[in-house]
Amino acid sequence: MSKASADGVTVGTRYEWTVKGMDCASCVAKARGAVERVAGVSGVEVSLMKERLRVSLDEARARPEAVERAVGAVGYTAAGRRRLGPDGESGAANGREAGDGGPCGCGDHDHGRKLAQGTHDQDEGHGEGHGEGHDESDTHAHGHGDPAERGLSWWRTGKGRLVILTGALLLAAWGSELLVSPGISRWAFVAACLIGLFPVARRAFALLRAGMPFTIEMLMTIAATGALFIDASEEAALVVFLFAVGELLEGVATDQARSGIRSLVKLLPKTALLMDGGRPREVPADSLAIGNEVLVRPGDRVPADGTVVEGRSGVDESPVTGESMPQTRGPGDDVFAGSINTEAALTVRVTREPSDNTVARIIRLVEEAEESRAPTERFIDRLSRIYMPFIVGIAVLVALVPPIAFGLPWDVWIYRALALLLIGCPCALVISVPAAIASGLSSGARRGLLMKGGSVVEAAAATRQVAFDKTGTLTQGRPVVTDIVPFNGMPQAEVLMLAAAVESGSSHPLAKAILSRAERDGLALPAASAARAIPGRGVVAELAGRGEVHVTSPAEALEAGRLPADLEQAAVALENAGKTVVVVHGAEGPFGLVALRDEPREDAARAIRELARLDVSAVMLTGDNARTAAAIGDVIGIAQRARLLPEDKLVAIRELSQGGPVMMVGDGINDAPALKQASLGVAMGSGTDVALETADAAILRDRVADVPAMIRLARATMSNIHQNVAIALGLKGVFLVTSILGITGLWIAILADTGATVLVTANALRLLAYDPARAGGQSRT
């Protein structure tokens, strides 16, 4: 995204900084506006949640320091400069170019394996470009960073120091009233106001030079200065102090909104036990490569996505997928980075680079989603651009019209106009939507519900119909043995044993299901030989002590004369229930039937009932025959449409859309066209590439009940947004009237402004603790 010249060739160097001090969307606009005015700068990107600035810089016209000065002039701090390569990865760090050394003595480092470059290292307290073993005390060598990242108390931050300074000056001024005459103490309040106002005014004029006259800093400067001129110095000093307190509280609240991402980052261990020549050796987790084998001891977190090659243990995946019960994992099973080994040692072969593991991809998706603006947010942003000039215009009229037109006192109406200016900042209104969206997305991510942005949240909240794929979504996605019907008194176990022995060399899904059931039941299988497949009909093999035994379709058994009428009736009844039936028979006749079916998920029926309680209808779209679809649909309690090809599913989605917004839930692969056609496509699967990348949203746990949970979370988020907008506009409206009527003064006005911002942010933070599964009465076991 470097700047393009007239001939289409890209020029300029891409740089990235960590920007501290941004608390809302208005802060982002201020930082962007200041940087865009720097000559030689283009492609400016500012991220609030990632606290990141990226620009393309024509170094023939400007140096990176000019960008840092521009950011600093408007009250923020740009630190940890990084030169980006063509792929967007860091090439140099710590405010120096490659090989420059920097204050920490660090030069160019390879960051290709760093998790989710930039934000995550910072969140863990490590500046970009530090090599392994870098001491944490050296982090942020320039002294920047917020309390959450550096472990600093609020009073050691810039905003905290301003609160202490203005508070101490105000107390000193009040104390002077007891010791000196009122005339002298008045000057103490003037001094307290001017000293506290200086950094605010400096930022206001920097923003004015950047083409942004309507800012809270400018309104604050005008109001406090005006109050001094009308001899309201005590209130002016109090207003400056309350403004500083509000700024501090906004910063703390916004930092809490970022905590969801930080909690995901902390899931990943810093080190791993790499198997080297049969012995474990501790190495940095981000140095692991695909194909490495690592030892994961009981109680350890899995350091990378991988496949178990040795050992069997319960693995707690709740930190990643929200699955509350440990899942048994053995050789051949996949495990996620960040999950916890609970029982026995496992050897895991790494299958993904650390920068591309499931947690890293979730973090990237959530961060990108938080920067994707919802339609409501775009509307609020347009409204806020009108709101502040409108309030300023009203304030000018209030200051001029009553004295000029009606001869009323100038000082009274100027005072009221100044109070109006202090409620003219739209910060609370602007942050009302992104704060709620960020909290909702973070809450969902911790519970295995990924939604890619505010527009997806709005679409999920508006959903009135859900279309489900059948295989792998409403069902387990693999057949299991459901019935064993013996013939002539043969034990069920023996029928299953014979079928499993014949199928022992097959890789067919039905064969795997029969073998899995035999293994689960602990059956010893007789030796099989001369096994061969009968295409489209079944399998035959020689079994020790039994001769030739067949496992075939009922039609093949009937043709061979080995399916008596009563067994044929049983087979028909099972097939009418949507099951696949095989007949086990030999030269001496039939031994019995084995029925299999891709069974519904345990929570599927409950999920459909929960959707009904949310006033959302559900339908199953499947390519299976009508009989199988009806058998599954009747068990679950869902309407069905059967024998649908992919293009037929598209038609079905269009038809359903006529009745309102439609959510399509599928596996993210075969259902890709339908997922795109629907108002909202949701992929269900345990962190697969497609599940995470293709659809609008993804459910990491294989739980159908997470579909109503996602809708419930989206609706809670939209409700929170409506509450926030009502709080912001309601408070502004009330104090607009009371300020004009003279009921409230300057310090109440500033409390209303900063208080509204803190209230809407605190209200949004409630979503971090919201559990949509519990809200719907869903069992967590």
Side-chain angles (χ1 to χ4, degrees), residues 494-546:
E494 190 170 352
V495 175
L496 179 62
M497 177 193 70
L498 294 174
V502 173
E503 298 278 17
S504 58
S506 175
S507 60
H508 191 279
L510 296 182
K512 290 181 177 179
I514 291 171
L515 288 165
S516 176
R517 174 64 180 270
E519 181 182 2
R520 193 189 77 184
D521 291 354
L523 301 180
L525 305 184
S529 60
R532 66 185 187 279
I534 306 172
R537 293 174 177 260
V539 182
V540 60
E542 292 281 344
L543 300 186
R546 288 285 185 178

Side-chain angles (χ1 to χ4, degrees), residues 2-14:
S2 298
K3 186 175 64 177
S5 63
D7 60 1
V9 180
T10 58
V11 296
T13 305
R14 198 72 174 151

Side-chain angles (χ1 to χ4, degrees), residues 133-444:
H134 174 68
D135 188 86
E136 192 167 340
S137 64
D138 290 338
T139 302
H140 299 292
H142 298 283
H144 306 301
D146 61 35
E149 291 179 351
R150 298 178 60 206
L152 297 182
S153 302
W154 64 268
W155 57 82
R156 295 181 61 188
T157 66
K159 291 180 179 179
R161 288 193 293 268
L162 182 60
V163 167
I164 293 171
L165 173 64
T166 54
L169 291 170
L170 187 60
L171 288 174
W174 276 327
S176 69
E177 286 187 311
L178 303 175
L179 303 174
V180 298
S181 66
I184 297 176
S185 64
R186 173 182 175 273
W187 290 106
F189 284 111
V190 171
C193 175
L194 292 177
I195 293 171
L197 187 62
F198 176 74
V200 179
R202 183 175 59 183
R203 197 170 6 155
F205 285 104
L207 291 166
L208 178 63
R209 289 192 298 272
M212 291 175 279
F214 295 108
T215 62
I216 184 58
E217 290 83 2
M218 182 59 73
L219 299 185
M220 181 69 204
T221 301
I222 295 171
T225 305
L228 293 178
F229 277 103
I230 61 172
D231 202 23
S233 57
E234 183 175 354
E235 279 200 82
L238 180 59
V239 163
V240 170
F241 170 69
L242 292 175
F243 177 77
V245 171
E247 289 278 285
L248 175 64
L249 292 177
E250 286 176 23
V252 172
T254 304
D255 188 67
Q256 286 298 311
R258 297 182 179 114
S259 63
I261 293 295
R262 291 181 185 142
S263 66
L264 289 173
V265 174
K266 292 174 183 176
L267 295 178
L268 298 169
K270 290 286 187 293
T271 60
L273 293 176
L274 176 67
M275 297 302 294
D276 186 2
R279 299 173 64 86
R281 175 169 59 88
E282 187 171 293
V283 298
D286 60 11
S287 69
L288 295 175
I290 295 174
N292 286 164
E293 292 188 0
V294 294
L295 175 66
V296 185
R297 300 168 301 190
D300 286 353
R301 289 187 183 272
V302 179
D305 283 6
T307 302
V308 177
V309 295
E310 186 178 337
R312 185 174 296 275
S313 177
V315 177
D316 179 7
E317 298 175 349
S318 61
V320 182
T321 67
E323 180 64 62
S324 58
M325 296 297 293
Q327 305 296 302
T328 301
R329 296 289 182 253
D333 292 333
D334 293 331
V335 290
F336 301 131
S339 54
I340 303 169
N341 183 17
T342 61
E343 296 170 0
L346 295 174
T347 301
V348 176
R349 180 177 294 116
V350 177
T351 57
R352 287 188 180 277
E353 294 280 352
S355 61
D356 193 40
N357 63 41
T358 299
V359 172
R361 285 181 289 145
I362 291 172
I363 290 170
R364 282 197 298 269
L365 288 171
V366 173
E367 286 178 335
E368 290 165 4
E370 288 175 345
E371 302 306 322
S372 172
R373 305 204 309 166
T376 301
E377 183 178 354
R378 289 193 291 269
F379 169 75
I380 292 294
D381 186 47
R382 290 194 298 270
L383 178 63
S384 68
R385 294 175 189 174
I386 302 170
Y387 173 80
M388 187 178 288
F390 172 75
I391 291 294
V392 171
I394 293 291
V396 171
L397 291 176
V398 167
L400 298 179
V401 173
I404 294 174
F406 304 106
L408 297 176
W410 281 95
D411 59 341
V412 171
W413 289 96
I414 289 176
Y415 180 88
R416 294 181 183 182
L418 295 176
L420 271 182
L421 288 179
L422 292 180
I423 64 169
C425 177
C427 283
L429 187 60
V430 170
I431 203 172
S432 60
V433 179
I437 293 291
S439 295
L441 294 175
S442 296
S443 178

